[in-house]
């Protein structure tokens, strides 16, 4: 960010330098340009400071620490690339990454499909009061802290006293150990996450849906397309930027899943719910292998970046910005 | 400070209770009139001054209670600015980790409440100031304290938390594990509460109680201190050997213990693990005949006004009597800027008046001073045979706490949970866990 963009009387950093030339008192020369940029930098400084302190700084620190062995309590020791070599033989890391990919994939699919269906239902001609009620009801769980959500679901799914267990027993089904059975623990977490966060995706979808010109769908209907075909060939293509945005942020969020797993299962049973960020935490702050934990942090960063880039690359084939 | 509750992980039957117990325990202590009494322990140490940071196990709500508790200290030592900070953690091992992280971050800590789980690693990493010279300077005071505390605490600290023969800690309160039993449910089932029982007798009593009252016999969980160790120790097993140098979690006795606990679930004598079952609440509602706990169980039941008819009995045994024990201890951090003031605080913590205060205030552990632990105040508003928590020291085993304590605890609890929930056969669960544990040593 070395230049400024001038919009009217306000000059902000980030634009091509040429656009500031010859504009009255703001761009009379190099000194004037710097003066003109000052307000922009001042406005930017809180976010910039935050970024440097809490994002870029720790990122650089993680890169440096990944070359050290450090237990927090005694001085760090330089070990070169040893931590990176250890990645290749760490079975638990592979397990954690596998669990995280499963969680993230399930999260993206269920949130996109569920959010879209809910948005379509609410966007359609239902009563306005009912529509607002449904929007609020769907979004409300998102406002509850993960700790409260986790506790709530532990009550609901309690294997002896839980309401789910009770009603399943009524129809002759024995409830599994939702959080104690390795086959059920991760699906249970996926389900709880869906309940907690679907409201957010739903709102994004609803907002996207409301940007689709109604006349286009109506024209398709007039042409005899039918509601499903109109949805498939008119509404959905126009929704693709929204779907793309939702898929990117859902994946990024899901890949960093930590809170519910930490609170509900602690990564168990049998490591069936241990996720990448949880493993990072355990390695750094329980095993005190800060150097190796930093290496894992870089792996998580690299995976998220790679998948996001792939999503952007793939979006050229299916996202329509028109 | 006598607080040694054993909050455990989410896999425990009633995880949220322990934290509340801790809060209540100190909250109660804070209300004590005894705080206004004279404090001989630090009456002659007026020379220390400056800022002093004291870190304890607890959340932000506890801060005001601690502040009240230290009112007298501040009055007697106006030149010392005491900053008491609580660290909220899920377990003592997590608390020790959080303290380590703060130290690594450069925070100046002077006195830290450290439980058994963290004592060895803190001493062995060279983080603590030897107390020997300080003790020598106040030898009479410290001797008087040791005369009034169980000798085992000093002995265990020497064994496990003194890698070079130096003294790094003075002991605080402790907790053992006993069985809280509701006599009313036993009466209803036409049974007498036994003072000693074997595992088989325990299960048989459970079957009769279930048949006649519908109540569960006990809760089962996977908390290391609260659920795993009592069953292991009463069968002559443990997670590690006495030196904490070899993992013994897959011994035949340990497998037998886990198999027995699993049978309590399959026989319907205990609720299935993995939920939010709250044992004290279930007992208060007449749905549970017994549960295991240390002193904090008394506070839970008192809060629920459910102490009537409850008594403490020994843990059922298969091979031998046994109980885990864990205790607080007070060190001065090597990096403390104001070590004299830190020592002044520790003298306050071991003073007779402070012990009385914490005892009558409903602390969540057995007070360190025997005169307090066996006094009337400790048994007031408590179950019958409360003195058992103190007496169990005779058969108690320190909770094995190797340096990589948090990882060990996780492996131990997870394997136990798999065993009691039936997702893995006990032998397999413990064999796999034992391999992990050995790798952590």
């Amino acid at each position: 960010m070395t230049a400024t963009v001038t919009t009217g009387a306000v000059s902000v950093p980030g634009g091509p330098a040429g656009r500031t030339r010859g504009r009255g008192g703001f761009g009379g020369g190099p000194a004037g340009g710097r003066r003109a940029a000052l307000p922009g930098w001042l406005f930017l400084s809180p976010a910039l400071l935050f970024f440097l302190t809490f994002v870029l700084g720790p990122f650089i620190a993680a890169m440096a620490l990944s070359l050290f062995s450090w237990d927090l309590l005694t001085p760090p020791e330089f070990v070169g690339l040893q931590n990176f070599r250890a990645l290749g033989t760490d079975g638990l890391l592979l397990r954690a990454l596998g669990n995280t990919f499963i969680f993230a994939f399930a999260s993206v699919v269920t949130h996109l499909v569920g959010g879209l269906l809910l948005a379509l239902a609410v966007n359609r001609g239902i009563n306005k009061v009912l529509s607002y009620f449904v929007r609020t009801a769907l979004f409300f769980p998102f406002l509850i802290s993960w700790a409260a959500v986790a506790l709530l679901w532990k009550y609901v799914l309690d294997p002896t006293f839980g309401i789910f267990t009770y009603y399943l027993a009524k129809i002759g089904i024995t409830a599994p150990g939702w959080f104690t059975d390795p086959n059920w623990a991760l699906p249970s977490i996926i389900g709880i996450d869906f309940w907690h966060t679907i409201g957010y995706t739903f709102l994004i979808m609803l907002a996207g849906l409301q940007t689709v010109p109604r006349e286009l769908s109506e024209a398709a209907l007039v042409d005899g397309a039918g509601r499903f075909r109109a949805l498939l060939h008119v509404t959905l293509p126009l929704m693709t930027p929204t779907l793309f945005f939702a898929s990117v942020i859902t994946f990024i969020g899901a890949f960093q899943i930590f809170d519910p797993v930490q609170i509900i299962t602690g990564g168990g049973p049998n490591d069936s719910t241990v996720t990448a960020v949880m493993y990072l935490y355990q390695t750094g702050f329980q095993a005190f292998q800060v150097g190796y934990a930093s290496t894992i942090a870089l792996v998580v960063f690299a995976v998220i970046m790679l998948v996001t880039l792939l999503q952007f690359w793939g979006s050229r084939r299916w996202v329509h910005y028109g | 400070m006598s607080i040694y509750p054993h909050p455990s992980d989410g896999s425990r039957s009633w995880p949220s209770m322990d934290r509340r117990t801790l809060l209540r325990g100190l909250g109660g202590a804070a209300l004590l009139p005894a705080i206004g009494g004279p404090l001989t322990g630090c009456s002659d140490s007026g020379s220390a001054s400056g800022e002093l940071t004291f870190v304890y196990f607890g959340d932000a709500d506890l801060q005001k209670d601690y502040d009240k508790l230290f009112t007298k200290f501040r009055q007697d030592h106006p030149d010392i600015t005491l900053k008491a900070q609580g660290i909220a953690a899920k377990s003592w091992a997590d608390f020790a980790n959080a303290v380590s992280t703060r130290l690594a971050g450069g925070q100046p800590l002077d006195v830290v409440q450290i439980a058994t789980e963290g004592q060895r690693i803190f001493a062995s990493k060279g983080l603590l100031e030897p107390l020997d010279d300080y003790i020598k300077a106040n030898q009479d005071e410290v001797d008087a304290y040791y005369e009034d505390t169980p000798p085992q605490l000093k002995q265990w600290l020497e064994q496990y938390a003194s890698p070079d023969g130096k003294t790094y800690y003075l002991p605080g309160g402790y907790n053992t594990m006993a069985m809280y039993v509701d006599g009313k449910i036993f009466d209803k089932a036409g049974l007498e509460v036994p003072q000693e029982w074997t595992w088989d007798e325990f299960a048989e009593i459970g079957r009769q109680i279930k048949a006649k009252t519908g109540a569960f016999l006990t809760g089962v969980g996977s908390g290391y201190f609260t659920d795993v160790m009592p069953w292991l120790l009463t069968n002559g097993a443990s997670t590690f050997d006495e030196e904490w140098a070899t993992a013994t979690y897959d011994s035949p006795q340990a497998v037998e213990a886990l198999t027995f606990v699993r049978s309590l679930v399959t026989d319907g004598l205990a609720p299935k693990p993995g939920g939010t079952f709250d044992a004290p609440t279930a007992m208060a509602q007449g749905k549970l005949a017994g549960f295991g706990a240390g002193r904090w169980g008394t506070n839970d039941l008192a809060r629920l006004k459910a102490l009537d008819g409850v008594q403490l009995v020994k843990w059922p045994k298969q091979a031998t009597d046994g109980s885990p024990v864990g205790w607080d201890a007070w060190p001065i951090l090597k990096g403390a800027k104001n070590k004299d003031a830190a020592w002044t605080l520790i003298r306050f913590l071991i003073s007779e008046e402070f012990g009385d205060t914490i005892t009558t205030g409903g602390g969540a552990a057995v007070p360190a001073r025997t005169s307090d632990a066996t006094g009337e105040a400790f048994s007031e508003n408590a179950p019958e045979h409360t003195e058992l928590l103190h007496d169990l020291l005779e058969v108690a085993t320190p909770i094995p706490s190797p340096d990589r304590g948090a990882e060990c605890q996780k492996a131990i609890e997870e394997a136990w949970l798999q065993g009691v929930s039936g997702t893995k056969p006990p032998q397999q669960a413990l064999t796999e866990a034992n391999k992990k544990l050995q790798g952590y040593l």
Side-chain angles (χ1 to χ4, degrees), chain A residues 70-74 151 154-155 158-161 174 179-182 262-263 266-271 282 285-289, chain B residues 10-11 90 94 97 100-101 104 121 125 127 216 271-277 404 406-407 410 414 417-418 421 423-424 432 436:
Chain A
W70 187 32
D71 67 358
L72 283 180
L73 301 173
T74 48
L151 199 60
K154 281 194 89 167
Y155 275 109
D158 187 291
T160 306
F161 306 100
T174 304
F179 304 125
T180 56
D181 186 334
Q262 172 73 5
I263 297 169
N270 200 21
D271 299 323
Q282 288 174 346
F285 298 104
Q286 289 186 341
F288 286 171
Q289 297 171 13
Chain B
S11 60
K90 205 166 64 174
D94 281 345
N97 288 353
S100 305
T101 310
I121 189 169
K125 292 281 183 184
L127 296 168
F216 287 110
K272 291 175 187 168
T276 50
F277 173 66
R404 294 174 71 175
E407 293 161 283
K410 182 173 178 287
E414 199 169 298
L417 181 63
Q418 288 170 353
S421 59
T423 54
K424 256 185 198 169
E432 289 174 5
K436 270 190 196 174

Side-chain angles (χ1 to χ4, degrees), chain A residues 39-59:
Chain A
W41 283 108
L42 282 176
F43 279 115
L44 191 62
S45 57
L48 198 59
L49 270 177
F50 184 89
F51 176 78
L52 291 174
T53 310
F54 294 108
V55 181
L56 189 62
F59 180 74

Side-chain angles (χ1 to χ4, degrees), chain A residues 102-116 194 198 247 250:
Chain A
I102 292 171
F103 178 85
F105 179 75
S107 189
V108 169
V109 171
T110 54
H111 278 74
L112 290 191
V113 174
L116 183 63
F194 178 79
I198 186 61
S247 71
T250 305

Side-chain angles (χ1 to χ4, degrees), chain B residues 309-393:
Chain B
V310 177
Q311 53 181 288
L312 292 191
V313 296
K314 283 183 189 170
W315 204 272
K317 66 178 175 185
Q318 175 77 337
T320 178
D321 283 325
S323 164
V325 59
W327 61 91
D328 305 333
W330 308 106
I332 296 176
L333 274 291
K334 187 161 257 173
K337 288 184 180 158
N338 198 346
K339 295 190 175 70
D340 287 344
W343 176 244
T344 303
L345 176 66
I346 290 179
R347 290 171 65 205
F348 169 74
L349 296 170
I350 65 170
S351 69
E352 202 170 320
E353 286 74 14
F354 187 85
D356 294 345
T357 301
I358 202 81
T359 304
T360 48
V366 183
R369 286 180 174 270
T370 306
S371 56
D372 291 322
T374 57
E376 277 182 23
F378 187 63
S379 299
E380 271 175 22
N381 198 27
E384 205 179 331
H385 306 309
T386 284
E387 69 283 359
L388 182 62
L389 291 171
H390 168 266
D391 297 345
L392 280 169
L393 275 178

